[in-house]
Amino acid sequence: VRRLSMQQATIKQLEEQKDMRQLAAMSSVENENENLRMRIVQIEKNTSMKLQDTEAALSQVQSELNEATNEAKIQRDENMTLQNELSHLRGIIDVAEESVNEVNRLRIENDQ
């Protein structure tokens, strides 16, 4: 009886040790899971911040691109205006040259 009682006590002690090891293992897994959760939350925060920074930078670039496009349109319009003025001035110069030639011809006729 005593031997049986000792065996039962040993079995009970072994079961308690087994239970304690299982609890420790579960606690370790829970800690690891919690650490992973915390890392995921931190990664999500960092990713969100990077995304916000990228969106702000993209918005800035889009604004600069729009401004550059508007400036290019203004420059094109100014170039067209200047080309039209240049064409007009060339026409005036042609008329002036013809007038000078005509005056010279008339002068020569008059001298004869």
Side-chain angles (χ1 to χ4, degrees):
V1 175
R2 186 172 181 193
R3 187 172 180 192
L4 183 60
S5 149
M6 281 181 60
Q7 286 177 344
Q8 287 175 340
T10 302
I11 290 172
K12 185 175 181 179
Q13 186 180 17
L14 289 173
E15 285 176 350
E16 287 174 358
Q17 288 175 354
K18 179 183 170 188
D19 289 344
M20 290 177 76
R21 280 193 299 262
Q22 286 176 337
L23 285 174
M26 284 175 45
S27 177
S28 175
V29 168
E30 288 173 358
N31 285 341
E32 186 176 342
N33 286 345
E34 183 60 28
N35 287 339
L36 289 173
R37 274 190 221 99
M38 288 173 28
R39 284 182 58 204
I40 288 170
V41 166
Q42 188 60 42
I43 289 170
E44 287 175 344
K45 285 180 184 177
N46 289 342
T47 302
S48 177
M49 287 173 54
K50 287 178 184 177
L51 183 58
Q52 288 174 354
D53 290 346
T54 302
E55 287 172 347
L58 180 59
S59 177
Q60 177 66 31
V61 168
Q62 184 65 44
S63 175
E64 291 172 5
L65 178 61
N66 289 340
E67 189 174 319
T69 300
N70 292 339
E71 288 177 11
K73 183 184 180 316
I74 291 168
Q75 188 64 44
R76 270 193 312 272
D77 293 345
E78 288 176 357
N79 286 345
M80 284 297 282
T81 300
L82 289 174
Q83 285 177 354
N84 290 337
E85 287 180 21
L86 180 60
S87 177
H88 180 69
L89 289 173
R90 283 183 178 151
I92 291 173
I93 288 172
D94 289 343
V95 169
E97 285 177 350
E98 288 176 17
S99 295
V100 166
N101 289 337
E102 183 65 17
V103 166
N104 287 336
R105 187 187 66 76
L106 290 173
R107 211 180 275 170
I108 291 171
E109 265 183 37
N110 194 24
D111 286 345
Q112 291 175 350

